[in-house]
Amino acid sequence: MIETMPLERATEAVQKMYVVLPNTKRLLDTCRLAGVQVVYPRIASLVKDCREVNIEHKRIKLLAPAGSRESDILEEIKPIENEIVLSKGASGVFNSTAIDQILRNSASTPSS
């Protein structure tokens, strides 16, 4: 069985969410209106048993199994059609996803 975040840490995270979510929503809306490409890197395992997740995330129990509630993007800030979502099992988006190649390819492709 996979252990998840202790209840105390989860409660603190939820409290901070009430400040962060409205600000994130405003930022997303502004970017979309300005035509800025929005990319969602999220901490989420590629598999249900989290075997590919970085050892540090395992140590601190920062685990979000594939398809779990923990790996979902919150409804208030969820991606809209055609926005890229990258799942990553480590802290760094550049060392744990293909974001570099995706951004390079996106920059050379005309928008539709």
Side-chain angles (χ1 to χ4, degrees), residues 11-67:
T11 301
E12 183 180 317
V14 168
Q15 290 170 343
K16 289 179 181 178
M17 191 171 61
Y18 287 107
V19 173
V20 173
L21 274 178
N23 292 334
T24 303
K25 177 77 170 115
R26 280 193 297 277
L27 180 61
L28 286 168
D29 291 343
T30 300
C31 288
R32 290 170 178 150
L33 284 171
V36 174
Q37 176 176 241
V38 176
V39 178
Y40 284 80
R42 65 174 172 178
I43 295 174
S45 178
L46 301 174
V47 291
K48 290 185 185 257
D49 65 6
C50 296
R51 66 180 174 267
E52 93 293 359
V53 172
N54 160 301
I55 195 163
E56 182 62 14
H57 282 211
K58 289 177 183 174
R59 186 184 72 76
I60 64 172
K61 297 179 179 30
L62 183 56
L63 303 172

